[in-house]
């Protein structure tokens, strides 16, 4: 039961004075899909979302919902629901009236308002506290109320601006799953803004990674993980982030200072070699290295080693972690390596 | 332009009223000051150029009125600022639950209807048995006639003192506590603390209050009008703004000289415009403007 | 001050002494209104109900009934406060929250007018009211009073609107509201403290207003309490008892507000309302 519409951004640009917040963005979200906008603070995620909602006017470019061009339309004519990072509940209204607000504006008859607010609130598990005001409920409950307010009018597009970032770690995990479940059930097209890559990978069908107002890569979580398009994505997606070693590809290997790695089908020229911490191994053979720091994470540990002058992070099982200052050997995997050229663009392997 | 329709609708009523009762009057004051508009010529005034201004400066009483104005503004200002400062300091030296009621009490002269407030002054200054002052001094006189300037300045001063009091009080509250602790550690007495810590921090507020009240005293005449109406005698307490009002709007001397009154008012209007534009500059007002975040 | 001096009771005495004239004045008014004769703030003689005859006699010395003046004053104050709060809020909302050309100069103009002494415009306003046919009408004075206090009101309300959360306003727009709806249903309810402050200020200021009705109203049927009371001042023989009673009656709302809302009043007037 997909009632979502597709969302298409075409050459979307937004400038604030001299600051370019979003540059020439092209992107399409399929009906019923959940797409995450991922990127560091200030990269233009919220600005993009607000242009989709109609709060900001694009400096250039268009927004389409299905075949309908919506960028000239007032927000109320776009049929979107939105959850804000601060939740933005109306402090002077009860939760019930907060959730009912969009329906009241549409002059939905009182009985129906009551029914729909109740139903949506039940769906989110806040049916029992509807008579309270926002200040009288917990952060998690406020977040649900904000979600209910966005969903109650059954929008075609649901926009979520860091909806989980003000929740504490425990609730955040369950809220992730719940939002995903609801979105699937309702079939609404959803865009989720986040700067937490784990959240994006866990929840989204596809992830759009932004940096400095520009789209870096738009792909499924698997693709982002296995085939990052450039060093920015490689460094931003995955935790701990990918190790990047600057050096020279020689056609049959990679060289950086004293480090020499034989590679099949290596390119030529200066560039970066990427390898994820979970793919490096501390083994009996390999390159000699010295352990600098060991950070236990519970079941695993991050080991930071120095290898020919490079600092590398290695993820090891708790039981296999070396002692600080130990001399170890580090083995590079044969596959799961990433090649980037001097400008940071991915050049292999295919 | 359509997208600006909404803000213009919101601004419409305010803009209309401001246009009607600020902008038009400013222009009208200037225009009228070049005409001979008076009771006798109300239907068909004619242009007289600068004649009104010439008459103004030829007026033998101009000196007296200027002197009265200077006296009124200068002395009332001194009382306002001095009393405001004294009140702010003293109410800050006693516990808050004492200071606040006294501050509120000093608001009373300002919020009482001026007619009632002035009546109280008139009564207290009247002859015995009604007049409290006569009673206390044991000399039954109408002190409003005996010492009109004392009455005018005190009556205005008691109204104006609260303005400085409130501004100075918030300024005192904004002084970082550490400064007081440091002074105490250095062994400063209360008076030394006031002189070395508090007064220097009040320099800017004092300047502000002085500047602000100079302008409003220069143009205000409500309390004088009620208290002495410019008397006693001939122009006893007549000040510039009151004289303009008398000339243009009060049938005191039979023929109302609208144009001449407008010329006097025009002088005030020009001073007002210049000075308030100057305030705008020193207020650093650009810092107060932030861009709206909604573009629909 | 953060450090209370040890000799603060002494300062309290000083404070008491300089405030004495205000207390004496109020006391004088009350006693004079209630008693036949007062000597140095000591009531002499009996209570004087005849001071209050203006409440019962239709007219004192050919004046209109005080109830007419009371009604005019109430209408005047209420209308001025309503107009001012409403119009100032609308303009302040636009200035604080909307984009439009010349927004910054507009704000600068408001700030300039806020400092500008409006009484100097009285002579020209007299002329304008005559041209508009609003001279000697309550409506005319209401419009003038509301307008002259408008820059102050806009400035005050802008400060309150500036505090509102942008997210909340964006949320309301996404929920389907127009700016007009946002203003009425979200913004205004949330600046209630500002509305109360401006409303109180406007009510007090209009209730006491003298110069404007004095200048622009002639007919006794449009008299406000200020004109009613002032008409006694011009008499050759001053009936202090009667006038004190009228004054007390007139100032009663102010005294009540003072008694029950002191802290509130202090907050309003400390909040940058013009002196
Ligand atoms: N209303 C505005 N006026 C001026 N500049 C703005 C405005 N909104 C955003 N910007 C600028 O545009 C850029 C992108 O901001 P945006 O809020 O979209 O970032 P974001 O990706 O949502 O970051 P965050 O994770 O911190 O929320 C920033 O440099 C920001 O300073
Ligand atoms: Mg953001």
């Amino acid at each position: 039961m997909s009632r979502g519409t597709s969302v298409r951004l075409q050459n979307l640009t937004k400038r604030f004075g001299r600051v370019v917040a979003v540059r020439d963005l092209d992107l399409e979200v399929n009906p019923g899909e959940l797409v995450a906008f991922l990127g560091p603070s200030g990269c233009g995620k919220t600005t993009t979302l607000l242009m989709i909602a109609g709060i900001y006017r694009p400096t250039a470019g268009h927004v389409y919902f299905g075949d309908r061009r919506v960028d000239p339309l007032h927000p109320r004519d776009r049929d979107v629901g939105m959850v804000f990072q601060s939740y933005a509940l109306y402090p002077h209204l009860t939760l019930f009236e907060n959730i009912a607000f969009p329906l009241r504006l549409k002059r939905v008859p009182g009985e129906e308002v009551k029914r729909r607010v109740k139903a949506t609130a039940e769906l989110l598990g806040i049916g029992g506290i509807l008579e309270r005001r926002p200040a009288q409920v917990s952060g998690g409950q406020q977040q649900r109320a904000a979600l209910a307010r966005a969903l109650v009018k059954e929008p075609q597009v649901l926009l979520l601006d860091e909806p989980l970032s003000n929740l504490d770690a425990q609730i955040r995990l369950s809220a992730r799953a719940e939002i995903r479940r609801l979105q699937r059930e309702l079939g609404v097209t959803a865009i989720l803004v986040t700067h937490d890559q784990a959240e994006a990978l866990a929840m989204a069908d596809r992830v759009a990674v932004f940096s400095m107002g520009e789209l870096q890569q738009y792909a499924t979580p698997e693709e982002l993980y296995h085939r990052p398009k450039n060093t920015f994505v490689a460094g931003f997606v995955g935790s701990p982030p990918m190790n990047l070693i600057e050096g020279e590809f020689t056609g049959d290997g990679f060289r950086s200072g004293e480090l020499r790695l034989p590679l099949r089908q290596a390119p030529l020229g200066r560039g970066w070699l990427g390898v994820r911490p979970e793919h490096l191994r501390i083994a009996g053979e390999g390159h000699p290295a010295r352990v600098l720091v060991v950070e236990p994470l519970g079941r695993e540990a991050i080991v930071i080693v120095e290898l020919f002058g490079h600092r590398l992070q290695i993820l090891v099982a708790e039981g296999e972690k070396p002692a600080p200052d130990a001399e170890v050997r580090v083995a590079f995997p044969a596959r799961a390596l990433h090649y980037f050229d001097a400008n940071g663009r991915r050049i292999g392997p295919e | 332009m359509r997208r600006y329709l909404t803000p213009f609708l919101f601004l419409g009523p305010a803009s209309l009223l401001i246009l009607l009762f600020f902008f038009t009057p400013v222009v009208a004051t200037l225009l009228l000051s070049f005409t001979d508009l008076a009771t006798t010529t109300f239907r068909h005034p004619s242009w007289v150029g600068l004649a009104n201004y010439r008459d103004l400066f030829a007026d033998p009483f101009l000196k007296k009125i200027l002197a009265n104005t200077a006296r009124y503004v200068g002395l009332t200002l001194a009382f306002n600022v001095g009393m405001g400062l004294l009140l702010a300091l003293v109410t800050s030296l006693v516990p808050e639950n004492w200071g606040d009621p006294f501050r509120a009490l000093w608001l009373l002269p300002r919020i009482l209807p001026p007619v009632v407030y002035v009546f109280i002054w008139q009564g207290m200054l009247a002859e015995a048995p009604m007049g409290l002052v006569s009673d206390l001094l044991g000399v039954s006189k109408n002190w409003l006639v005996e010492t009109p300037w004392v009455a005018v300045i005190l009556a205005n001063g008691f109204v104006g003192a609260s303005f400085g009091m409130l501004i100075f009080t918030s300024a005192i509250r904004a002084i970082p506590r550490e400064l007081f602790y440091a002074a105490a550690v250095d062994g400063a007495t209360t008076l030394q603390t006031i002189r070395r810590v508090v007064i220097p921090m009040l320099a800017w507020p004092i300047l502000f209050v002085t500047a602000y009240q100079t302008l409003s005293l220069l143009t205000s005449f409500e309390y004088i009008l009620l208290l002495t109406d410019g008397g006693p005698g001939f122009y006893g307490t007549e000040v510039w703004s009151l004289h303009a009002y008398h000339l243009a709007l009060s049938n005191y001397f039979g023929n109302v000289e609208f144009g001449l009154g407008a010329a006097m008012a025009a002088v005030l209007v020009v001073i007002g415009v210049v000075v308030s534009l100057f305030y705008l500059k020193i207020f650093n007002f650009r810092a107060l403007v932030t861009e709206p975040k909604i573009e629909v | 001050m953060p450090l209370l001096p040890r000799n603060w009771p002494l300062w309290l005495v000083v404070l008491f002494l300089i405030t004495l004239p205000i207390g004496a004045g109020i006391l004088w008014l009350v006693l004079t209104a209630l008693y036949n004769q007062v000597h140095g703030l000591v009531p002499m003689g009996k209570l004087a109900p005849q001071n209050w005859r203006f409440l019962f006699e239709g007219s004192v010395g050919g004046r209109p009934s005080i109830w007419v003046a009371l009604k005019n004053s109430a209408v005047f104050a209420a209308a001025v406060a309503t107009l001012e709060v409403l119009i100032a809020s609308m303009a302040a909302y636009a200035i604080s929250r909307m984009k439009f050309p010349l927004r910054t100069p507009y704000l600068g103009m408001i700030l300039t007018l806020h400092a500008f002494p409006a009484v100097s415009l009285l002579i020209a306003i007299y002329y304008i009211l005559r041209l508009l046919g609003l001279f000697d009408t309550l409506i005319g004075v209401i419009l003038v009073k509301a307008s002259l206090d408008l820059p102050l009101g806009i400035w005050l309300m802008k400060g309150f609107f500036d505090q509102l959360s942008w997210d909340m306003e964006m949320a309301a727009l996404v929920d389907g509201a127009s700016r007009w709806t946002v203003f009425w249903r979200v913004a205004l309810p949330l600046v209630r403290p500002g509305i109360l402050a401006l409303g109180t200020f406007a009510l007090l200021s209009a209730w006491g207003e003298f110069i404007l009705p004095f200048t622009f109203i002639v007919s006794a049927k449009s008299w406000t309490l200020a004109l009613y009371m002032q008409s006694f001042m011009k008499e050759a023989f001053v009936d202090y008892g009667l006038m004190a009673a009228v004054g007390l009656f007139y100032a009663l709302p102010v005294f009540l507000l003072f008694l029950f809302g002191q802290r509130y009043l202090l907050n309003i007037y400390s909040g940058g309302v013009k002196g």
Side-chain angles (χ1 to χ4, degrees):
Chain A
M1 66 166 238
S2 167
R3 67 170 141 84
T5 172
S6 70
V7 175
R8 188 154 57 86
L9 311 181
Q10 195 183 67
N11 291 92
L12 208 57
T13 298
K14 179 69 193 177
R15 265 193 297 266
F16 295 106
R18 268 182 296 144
V19 182
V20 184
V22 177
R23 189 193 303 270
D24 234 352
L25 176 60
D26 278 295
L27 179 148
E28 178 154 6
V29 182
N30 295 324
E33 201 177 14
L34 191 158
V35 164
F37 286 1
L38 175 65
S41 187
C43 69
K45 306 173 303 267
T46 300
T47 304
T48 309
L49 214 60
L50 290 177
M51 283 192 284
I52 298 173
I55 304 292
Y56 285 165
R57 288 164 189 269
T59 310
H62 303 299
V63 180
Y64 293 90
F65 287 177
D67 294 330
R68 200 161 61 115
R69 200 184 128 195
V70 296
D71 50 273
L73 299 184
H74 191 277
R76 68 167 168 266
D77 303 320
R78 297 192 184 201
D79 198 14
V80 298
M82 182 156 174
V83 176
F84 289 79
Q85 183 173 1
S86 63
Y87 309 138
L89 294 169
Y90 311 119
H92 61 298
L93 301 179
T94 60
L95 290 196
F96 182 93
E97 283 305 326
N98 262 281
I99 301 171
F101 192 73
L103 301 179
R104 302 249 189 249
L105 291 175
K106 282 195 196 167
R107 308 199 180 285
V108 174
E111 273 309 304
E112 193 186 336
V113 170
K114 215 163 168 180
R115 189 172 52 71
R116 279 168 68 176
V117 171
K118 279 251 153 41
T120 314
E122 292 303 337
L123 199 63
L124 284 153
I126 48 169
I129 51 170
L130 288 178
E131 289 319 310
R132 300 204 205 157
R133 282 170 201 263
Q136 298 164 330
V137 305
S138 74
Q141 289 165 333
Q142 288 180 20
Q143 189 261 345
R144 283 148 190 267
L147 192 56
R149 183 179 63 181
L151 289 174
V152 75
K153 60 178 180 178
E154 301 176 351
Q156 296 185 59
V157 179
L158 177 63
L159 305 173
L160 306 153
D161 191 358
E162 313 215 13
L164 305 178
S165 66
N166 285 342
L167 298 179
D168 48 43
Q170 284 192 349
I171 314 181
R172 197 181 305 178
L173 287 184
S174 59
R176 267 188 204 174
E178 191 166 315
I179 289 182
R180 185 71 239 228
R181 173 180 64 80
L182 272 172
Q183 183 267 339
R184 283 243 170 79
E185 241 166 61
L186 301 171
V188 58
T189 308
I191 300 177
L192 168 87
V193 162
T194 173
H195 56 243
D196 177 350
Q197 52 94 28
E199 194 172 293
L201 298 184
M203 294 174 70
D205 296 312
R206 283 194 288 171
V207 179
V209 183
F210 289 80
S211 169
M212 317 248 284
E214 288 187 66
L215 182 61
Q216 303 295 317
Q217 184 167 9
Y218 182 35
T220 60
E222 293 72 29
E223 174 104 3
L224 281 183
Y225 182 80
H226 293 295
R227 297 173 55 79
K229 229 169 151 181
N230 55 36
T231 45
F232 176 83
V233 178
F236 199 77
V237 176
S239 168
M242 184 186 284
N243 297 295
L244 290 165
I245 308 169
E246 192 172 8
E248 186 159 1
F249 293 101
T250 55
D252 58 354
F254 177 78
R255 200 167 66 198
S256 173
E258 288 170 61
L259 171 67
R260 284 189 168 59
L261 282 176
L263 302 171
R264 258 177 294 158
Q265 292 177 338
L268 273 172
R270 295 206 63 79
W272 303 78
L273 178 76
V275 57
R276 292 199 180 276
E278 53 271 40
H279 296 146
L280 286 170
R281 280 187 307 114
I282 294 181
E285 58 199 73
H287 303 274
R290 197 166 57 87
V291 177
L292 297 178
V293 181
V294 179
E295 284 178 18
L297 296 178
R299 250 183 320 142
E300 295 162 322
I302 298 174
V303 180
I304 302 177
V305 301
E306 186 176 313
L307 182 148
F308 297 131
H310 301 286
R311 283 181 181 216
L312 300 180
Q313 297 196 341
I314 307 174
L315 201 63
V316 300
E318 169 69 17
E320 298 166 16
K321 67 171 199 253
D325 272 336
E327 300 289 337
V328 294
R329 289 187 170 267
V330 174
F332 281 71
R335 289 193 285 166
L337 289 173
H338 309 265
Y339 313 155
F340 304 97
D341 68 14
N343 296 323
R345 270 197 302 270
R346 181 184 187 85
I347 45 175
E350 283 312 304
Chain B
M1 269 302 102
R2 258 196 66 98
R3 62 184 276 201
Y4 297 123
L5 194 65
T6 323
F8 288 155
L9 284 179
F10 273 93
L11 290 170
S15 306
L16 183 72
L17 289 184
I18 286 173
L19 186 71
L20 209 55
F21 294 113
F22 275 100
F23 279 73
T24 320
V26 166
V27 177
T29 306
L30 296 176
L31 289 181
L32 288 171
S33 74
F34 297 120
T35 68
D36 66 351
L37 193 71
T39 315
T40 47
T41 62
F42 206 83
R43 296 273 153 238
H44 33 74
S46 49
W47 291 104
V48 295
L50 291 173
N52 286 324
Y53 292 92
R54 223 177 300 124
D55 290 356
L56 198 65
F57 287 108
D59 185 344
F61 294 106
L62 183 74
K63 251 209 193 122
K64 168 126 203 194
I65 286 170
L66 280 177
N68 281 349
T69 309
R71 185 186 235 179
Y72 163 67
V73 174
L75 294 180
T76 312
L77 192 64
F79 183 92
N80 278 354
V81 177
M83 192 53 135
L85 194 59
L86 182 68
L87 284 169
L89 288 173
V90 178
T91 51
S92 301
L93 288 175
V94 300
E96 197 120 307
N97 50 354
W98 281 106
D100 273 349
F102 275 103
R103 273 191 281 263
L105 208 56
W106 273 86
L107 275 182
L108 258 185
R110 177 127 62 106
I111 60 176
L112 271 183
V115 182
V116 178
Y117 174 74
V118 166
F119 167 69
I120 295 176
W121 276 98
Q122 286 179 339
M124 300 224 298
L125 295 176
E127 292 94 344
M130 272 307 152
L132 183 60
V133 175
S134 294
D135 264 339
L136 292 180
L137 295 179
V139 186
S140 178
K141 279 187 177 152
N142 187 342
W143 294 97
L144 193 53
V145 178
E146 291 296 313
T147 55
W149 279 107
V150 176
V152 163
I153 288 159
L154 285 183
N156 275 288
F158 271 73
V159 172
S162 54
F163 181 69
M165 174 188 78
L166 293 175
I167 290 197
F168 299 145
T169 303
S170 12
I172 290 176
R173 287 186 176 162
I175 298 175
R177 310 179 132 251
E178 293 74 34
L179 292 184
F180 290 98
Y181 298 146
V185 170
D186 293 347
T189 64
T190 304
L191 288 179
Q192 282 171 329
T193 310
I194 287 176
R195 220 183 54 219
R196 285 185 3 202
V197 178
V198 181
I199 301 284
M201 303 295 269
L202 291 182
W204 180 247
I206 288 175
L207 187 71
F208 170 77
V209 171
T210 309
Y212 201 101
Q213 295 226 317
T214 309
L215 190 55
S216 63
L217 282 173
L218 203 55
T219 50
S220 71
F221 54 87
E222 188 168 24
Y223 290 97
I224 306 186
L225 174 71
L226 280 165
L227 200 59
T228 63
D229 199 15
F234 207 58
Y235 294 159
T237 53
E238 182 100 339
V239 295
W240 187 282
S241 51
L242 181 60
H243 194 55
Y245 185 83
H246 276 151
L247 282 177
L249 294 174
S250 136
N251 288 6
Y252 222 54
F253 305 108
N255 185 23
V256 167
E257 295 183 86
F258 217 81
L260 192 57
M264 289 197 79
V267 174
L268 294 179
V269 167
V270 169
I271 295 177
V273 169
V274 171
V275 173
S276 30
L277 280 174
F278 175 69
Y279 289 165
L280 190 66
K281 234 188 155 63
I282 55 174
F283 253 134
N284 186 19
F285 127 93
R286 297 240 155 217
L288 301 169
V289 188
T290 51
E291 279 301 302
K293 294 202 173 181
I294 290 179
E295 304 182 341
V296 289
Chain C
M1 252 166 253
L3 296 177
L4 203 57
R6 209 167 307 145
N7 59 350
W8 67 262
L10 198 72
W11 291 109
L12 191 60
V13 173
V14 173
L15 192 54
F16 184 78
L17 288 178
I18 52 182
T19 312
L20 214 51
I22 298 179
I26 308 292
L27 197 61
W28 179 88
L29 182 72
V30 174
L31 293 179
T32 310
L34 295 182
Y35 289 94
N36 241 336
Q37 258 197 11
V38 180
H39 262 282
L41 294 187
V42 182
M44 304 283 201
K46 291 194 293 260
L47 285 174
Q50 75 274 16
N51 286 348
W52 298 82
R53 63 185 180 275
F54 62 91
L55 292 177
F56 314 104
E57 293 173 11
S59 123
V60 180
R63 294 177 179 80
S65 149
I66 189 153
W67 301 107
V68 173
L70 177 69
K71 193 203 82 194
N72 284 336
S73 268
V75 169
F76 178 70
V80 166
T82 312
L83 267 184
E84 200 179 321
V85 167
L86 193 66
I87 295 178
S89 299
M90 280 171 60
Y93 179 76
I95 293 176
S96 166
R97 303 246 128 195
M98 290 179 170
K99 284 197 175 177
F100 55 89
L102 299 182
R103 173 170 167 268
T104 309
Y106 198 95
L107 186 60
M109 173 192 82
I110 296 297
L111 198 59
T112 313
L113 292 183
H114 178 24
F116 182 79
V119 265
S120 59
L121 302 177
L122 241 50
I123 294 172
I125 290 176
Y126 169 87
Y127 200 69
I128 292 168
L129 282 184
R130 299 206 60 152
L131 287 182
L132 292 175
L134 289 174
F135 183 72
D136 197 18
T137 64
L138 212 47
I139 296 192
V141 202
I142 288 170
L143 283 180
V144 173
K145 176 68 180 164
S147 307
L148 295 190
D149 283 349
L150 209 50
L152 160 95
I154 294 177
W155 190 247
L156 188 85
M157 291 310 294
K158 176 195 172 281
F160 282 90
F161 283 119
D162 282 349
Q163 314 281 316
L164 289 187
S165 127
W166 282 103
D167 276 4
M168 197 168 48
E169 203 167 339
M170 291 178 183
L173 289 172
V174 172
D175 283 345
S178 62
R179 287 315 283 275
W180 185 246
T181 318
V182 173
F183 173 70
W184 283 107
R185 303 202 30 186
V186 179
L188 267 193
L190 291 177
V191 296
R192 229 183 63 176
I195 293 178
L196 280 177
L198 180 58
T200 312
F201 173 77
L203 273 179
L204 277 175
S205 160
W207 184 253
E209 182 62 44
F210 167 70
I211 284 275
L212 294 179
F214 179 68
T215 313
F216 302 132
I217 282 181
V218 184
S219 320
K221 68 170 174 14
S222 303
W223 273 10
T224 61
L225 283 172
L227 297 185
Y228 182 87
M229 171 136 183
Q230 196 262 347
S231 71
F232 288 97
M233 288 184 172
K234 292 183 296 197
E235 307 246 297
F237 169 75
V238 181
D239 183 346
Y240 282 104
L242 173 71
M243 283 185 69
V246 173
L248 199 56
F249 178 77
Y250 176 19
L252 205 59
V254 182
F255 284 127
L256 290 179
L257 187 65
F258 173 77
L259 284 179
F260 298 108
Q262 262 181 40
R263 181 160 297 273
Y264 175 64
L265 272 178
L266 266 180
N267 283 341
I268 293 176
Y269 279 82
S270 309
V273 169
K274 191 169 176 173

